């Protein structure tokens, strides 16, 4: 098999495999060491630091604080000694050999070099303390320190004679203190970095003895560790051992002739410079075949999905075309039906208008008759009032007659008494006749009074009947007038519907000629509905909001849903908004 592609991620970032069997007893020792170090965890705390991160700091005891303070003081003293020793030599050498014009300029040069070193060291330590270390800043420090060492050594070089042993010792002595100071700074920086970033993975260093005993192999190990981010030196050694053991196994398998091995079997040696372990290299063919199979499955699945989407799109397009054709047929049928209905309505309205004209003539004649009847009823009412007044007068006359009858009866009684007192001059028969005559007069007076009361009641009844008849005549005249107004309104409505149907027919013919889409037809129908509802565009100008507000006032969502047979209010709202846009662009229906 030929390697066609590399892994997508560096193998160094994968978790380190377990240690080989030869060190299988190591986990117990490591666990014992962890148990021995566990009391130290109790001294760790997580106070808030100035960085605001989640790093934890070690809580120092009083003795440890004194030791740290003494160490810092010693480092500062060492820095002062280094500056003092190098200042004079470097300033003098800069003045005499480096051709700085004056001794003052030479001293400024020496001070600038030393201050630059101190500033960069301080920045390096502060950034390490803030968990933001600047790794490259150490290299200028080392470079300037090396320059200082060289200048100090050069200032003590012999003049006019060759180098002797003590000259070399003297030159080396000039560089001891700066090198020692840089070493102390690096130790301090590493200590600060370990304190503020305790969870940072530490990179193992290769033992010095290995560099001495096997410098070439060690340099290859160092290179691979740095290139592929392998921090563990034992892990790197284990990988090297596995690679050597696998090579020996291949030689044993093919009797020392590795040319017989396949490309897959040679993968561990091929991929070792790229940070792959033996297991990872041998697993590459299977992984690549699996990845290729997955890619093929994905491509096949995508192809099936594309075919499915294409079929679904075709079906949807067919369904849309069928729905559009159905909607168009329904619209045409509706327009034809509305046109026929409008014509029928118009004919009916013409006939109704003719009948209404005849009815109006009849109503006019009826109104004249009603007016005459009202006048007659009024005359009859006046006559009834006169009769009622006469009945009142008759009632009063009857009362007077009744009073006269009473008086005559009283006179008769008086006459009777007088007759009786007059010594019974008249006979009993004559007296009885007089009594009977008096009673007859009394009954006649009562009858006359009852007749007068009856005549008065009849007069009141005639008056009420005349008033009710007059009110009925007025109501009949009002009803006839209302019928006439309704007929006129219906005729006007029929004419308006006929005109609207004719406008709709012309608009449909225009749209058919223009071969508009169903949505464009629907939008134009909304425009016609707005104008039919009395849309006024005067004073609108080119402002869309004002135009859309007037269209909204003229046509409601419910009207659009009913006229266009759409169930979605959102679709109806979009139709109305597009109608406003169409009006703003200058479209006007043929009214």
């Amino acid at each position: 098999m030929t390697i066609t592609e590399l892994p997508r991620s560096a193998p160094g970032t994968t978790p380190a495999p377990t240690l080989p069997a030869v060190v299988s007893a190591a986990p117990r020792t490591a666990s014992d060491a962890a148990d021995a170090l566990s009391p130290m965890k109790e001294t760790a705390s997580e106070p808030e630091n100035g960085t605001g991160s989640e790093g934890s700091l070690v809580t120092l005891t009083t003795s440890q604080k004194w030791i740290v303070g003494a160490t810092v003081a010693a480092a500062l003293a060492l820095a002062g000694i280094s500056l003092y020793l190098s200042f004079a030599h470097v300033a003098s050498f800069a003045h005499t050999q480096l051709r700085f014009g004056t001794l003052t300029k030479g001293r400024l040069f020496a001070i600038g070099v030393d201050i630059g070193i101190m500033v960069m060291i301080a920045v390096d330590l502060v950034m390490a303390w803030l968990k933001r270390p600047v790794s490259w800043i150490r290299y200028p420090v080392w470079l300037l320190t090396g320059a200082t060492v060289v200048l100090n050594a050069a200032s003590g070089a012999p003049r006019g004679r060759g180098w002797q042993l003590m000259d070399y010792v003297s030159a080396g002595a000039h560089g001891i203190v700066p090198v020692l100071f840089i070493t102390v700074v690096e130790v301090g920086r590493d200590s600060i970095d370990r304190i503020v970033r305790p969870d940072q993975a530490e990179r193992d260093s290769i033992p010095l003895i290995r560099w001495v005993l096997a410098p070439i192999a060690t340099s290859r190990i160092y290179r691979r560790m740095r290139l592929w981010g392998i921090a563990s030196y034992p892990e790197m050694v284990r990988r090297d051992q596995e690679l050597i053991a696998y090579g020996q196994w291949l030689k044993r398998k093919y009797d020392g002739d590795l040319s017989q091995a396949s490309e897959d079997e040679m993968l561990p040696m091929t991929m070792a410079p790229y940070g792959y372990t033996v297991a990872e290299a041998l697993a590459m063919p299977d992984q690549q075949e699996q990845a290729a199979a997955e890619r093929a499955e994905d491509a096949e699945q995508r192809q099936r999905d594309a075919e499915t989407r294409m079929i679904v799109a075709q079906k949807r397009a067919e369904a849309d075309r069928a729905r559009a054709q159905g909607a168009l047929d329904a619209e045409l049928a509706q327009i034809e039906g509305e046109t026929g209905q409008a014509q029928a309505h118009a004919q009916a309205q013409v006939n109704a208008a003719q009948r209404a004209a005849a009815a109006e003539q009849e109503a006019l004649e009826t109104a004249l008759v009603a007016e005459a009847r009202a006048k007659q009823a009024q005359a009859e009412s006046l006559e009834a009032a006169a009769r009622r007044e006469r009945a009142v007068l008759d009632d009063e006359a009857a009362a007077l007659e009744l009073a006269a009858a009473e008086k005559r009866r009283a006179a008769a009684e008086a006459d009777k008494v007088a007759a009786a007192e007059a010594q019974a001059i008249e006979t009993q028969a004559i007296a009885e006749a007089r009594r009977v005559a008096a009673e007859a007069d009394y009954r006649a007076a009562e009858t006359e009074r009852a007749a007068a009361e009856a005549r008065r009641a009849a007069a009141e009844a005639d008056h009420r009947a005349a008033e009710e008849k007059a009110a009925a005549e007025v109501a009949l005249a009002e009803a006839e007038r209302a019928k006439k107004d309704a007929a006129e309104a219906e005729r006007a409505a029929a004419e308006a519907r006929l005109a609207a149907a004719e406008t709709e027919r012309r608009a449909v013919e225009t749209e058919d000629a223009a071969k508009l889409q169903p949505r464009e037809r629907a939008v134009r129908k909304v425009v016609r509905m707005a104008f039919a509802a009395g849309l006024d565009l005067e004073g609108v100008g080119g402002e869309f909001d004002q135009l859309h507000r007037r269209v909204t006032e003229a046509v409601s969502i419910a009207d659009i849903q009913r006229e266009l047979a759409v169930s979605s209010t959102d679709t109806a709202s979009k139709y109305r908004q597009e109608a406003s846009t169409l009006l703003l662009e200058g479209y006007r229906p043929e009214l």
Side-chain angles (χ1 to χ4, degrees):
M1 176 181 174
T2 304
I3 302 301
T4 58
E5 64 177 16
L6 294 176
R8 297 182 181 179
S9 60
T13 59
T14 58
T18 57
L19 295 176
V22 294
V23 291
S24 58
R28 181 175 182 83
T29 306
S31 62
D32 295 339
D35 294 336
L37 292 175
S38 60
M40 295 182 63
K41 297 179 181 179
E42 299 178 357
T43 62
S45 60
E46 297 181 357
E48 296 183 357
N49 51 34
T51 62
S53 60
E54 66 276 7
S56 60
L57 298 177
V58 177
T59 303
L60 301 178
T61 62
T62 304
S63 301
Q64 291 172 340
K65 291 179 180 179
W66 279 105
I67 294 173
V68 171
T71 303
V72 172
L76 294 176
L78 181 61
I81 293 172
S82 176
L83 292 175
Y84 176 76
L85 291 177
S86 65
F87 174 73
H89 297 92
V90 173
S92 177
F93 184 76
H95 172 55
T96 57
Q97 301 297 326
L98 299 182
R99 300 176 183 177
F100 282 84
T102 61
L103 182 59
T104 302
K105 292 182 180 180
R107 291 173 179 175
L108 290 176
F109 168 73
I111 293 174
V113 172
D114 293 337
I115 291 178
I117 293 173
M118 293 301 173
V119 169
M120 285 188 285
I121 289 173
V123 171
D124 189 19
L125 294 177
V126 170
M127 295 306 294
W129 193 2
L130 297 177
K131 299 184 183 181
R132 299 291 187 272
V134 183
S135 59
W136 60 267
I137 202 172
R138 291 180 293 173
Y139 303 113
V141 173
W142 295 348
L143 180 61
L144 291 176
T145 304
T148 303
V149 171
V150 170
L151 292 175
N152 276 277
S155 64
R159 292 177 176 80
R161 59 181 180 83
W163 282 76
Q164 297 179 3
L165 178 60
M166 289 306 296
D167 295 329
Y168 291 103
V169 173
S170 175
H174 281 82
I176 290 176
V177 176
V179 172
L180 181 60
F181 176 66
I182 292 300
T183 304
V184 171
V185 170
E186 288 297 321
V187 171
R189 181 187 186 281
D190 190 62
S191 301
I192 292 175
D193 193 43
R194 293 191 181 190
I195 290 174
V196 299
R197 294 196 297 175
D199 298 333
Q200 184 183 13
E202 297 182 3
R203 186 184 302 275
D204 294 344
S205 60
I206 300 177
L208 180 61
I209 188 64
R210 183 180 179 92
W211 286 100
V212 175
L213 297 179
I216 298 176
T218 304
S219 63
R220 286 198 298 267
I221 290 176
Y222 178 81
R223 179 179 179 275
R224 288 159 62 188
M225 288 178 65
R226 292 300 184 269
L227 283 179
W228 308 114
I230 302 174
S232 174
Y233 168 69
E235 168 65 16
M236 194 66 241
V237 171
R238 186 192 62 78
R239 292 189 182 193
D240 210 25
Q241 291 174 348
E242 285 184 354
L243 184 62
I244 295 173
Y246 181 76
Q248 293 300 321
W249 176 78
L250 279 181
K251 289 180 180 179
R252 187 170 63 254
K253 179 179 179 181
Y254 294 106
D255 296 330
D257 187 8
L258 294 180
S259 62
Q260 299 180 11
S262 64
E263 291 184 357
D264 291 350
E265 290 176 333
M266 294 298 294
L267 276 176
M269 275 72 77
T270 304
M271 303 306 296
Y274 302 101
Y276 284 81
T277 63
V278 174
E280 290 170 349
L282 292 176
M284 281 181 61
D286 295 336
Q287 292 175 355
Q288 291 176 346
E289 290 178 358
Q290 182 179 359
E294 291 177 355
R295 289 193 297 273
E297 291 177 0
D298 292 341
E300 185 177 356
Q301 182 64 34
R302 287 194 297 271
Q303 184 178 3
R304 288 197 299 267
D305 293 342
E307 293 175 355
T308 303
R309 287 193 298 271
M310 183 175 64
I311 294 173
V312 170
Q314 292 176 353
K315 298 297 183 183
R316 286 180 178 175
E318 294 175 359
D320 291 339
R321 285 194 295 270
R323 281 196 295 269
Q325 186 63 37
L328 179 60
D329 295 340
E331 187 72 18
L332 293 176
Q334 181 180 1
I335 292 172
E336 292 177 358
E338 290 178 355
T339 304
Q341 185 179 5
Q343 292 175 353
H345 276 299
Q347 185 63 36
Q349 291 301 324
V350 171
N351 297 333
Q354 294 175 354
R355 290 193 300 270
E360 182 181 1
Q361 184 65 29
E362 294 177 359
L364 182 59
E365 295 176 356
T366 305
L368 295 176
V369 173
E371 185 177 359
R373 289 179 180 177
K375 291 181 179 180
Q376 183 180 358
Q378 185 177 4
E380 291 178 355
S381 176
L382 294 175
E383 184 180 358
R387 284 198 301 271
R388 187 170 60 251
E389 291 178 356
R390 286 196 300 271
V392 172
L393 294 177
D394 291 342
D395 191 11
E396 293 177 354
L400 293 176
E401 290 178 358
L402 181 62
E406 286 290 336
K407 290 180 180 181
R408 286 194 298 272
R409 186 179 63 83
E413 289 290 334
D415 291 341
K416 183 179 179 182
V417 173
E421 291 177 353
Q423 299 177 358
I425 299 174
E426 296 179 354
T427 62
Q428 184 68 30
I430 295 171
E432 184 66 23
R434 288 179 178 175
R435 184 181 63 80
V436 171
E439 290 179 356
D441 292 337
Y442 177 76
R443 285 195 296 272
E446 287 290 334
T447 301
E448 185 68 21
R449 188 179 64 180
E453 185 67 26
R455 286 194 298 273
R456 186 178 62 81
E460 291 180 354
D462 291 340
H463 178 68
R464 285 196 298 270
E467 289 180 349
E468 291 175 356
K469 187 175 182 180
E473 294 295 337
V474 173
L476 181 61
E478 291 292 335
E480 292 296 334
R481 189 178 296 106
K483 288 182 181 178
K484 179 181 178 182
D485 294 340
E488 185 67 25
E490 185 66 22
R491 183 179 64 80
E495 292 177 355
R497 285 195 295 272
L498 181 60
E502 182 64 22
T503 301
E504 187 70 21
R505 184 185 63 77
R506 290 198 303 270
V508 171
E509 290 177 355
T510 303
E511 291 172 356
D512 291 339
K515 297 181 179 180
L516 299 180
Q517 297 297 324
R519 187 178 186 89
E520 296 174 337
R521 294 172 180 267
V523 173
R524 281 165 171 76
K525 186 172 181 63
V526 173
V527 174
R528 294 194 295 273
M529 291 171 59
F531 276 100
L535 176 63
D536 185 13
L537 298 180
E538 184 177 358
V540 173
E543 296 182 1
F544 176 79
D545 293 338
Q546 187 176 1
L547 176 60
H548 185 61
R549 182 168 61 252
R550 294 194 180 181
V551 173
T552 303
E553 293 173 355
V555 184
S556 65
I557 296 295
D559 294 338
I560 297 175
Q561 289 180 303
R562 183 179 62 256
E563 292 295 331
L564 299 182
V566 294
S567 59
S568 174
T569 58
D570 182 64
T571 303
S573 177
K574 289 180 179 179
Y575 283 167
R576 187 168 63 183
Q577 188 172 7
E578 292 177 7
S580 301
T581 304
L582 192 62
L583 285 172
L584 189 63
E585 292 174 353
Y587 172 76
R588 297 293 183 274
E590 296 180 1
L591 301 178

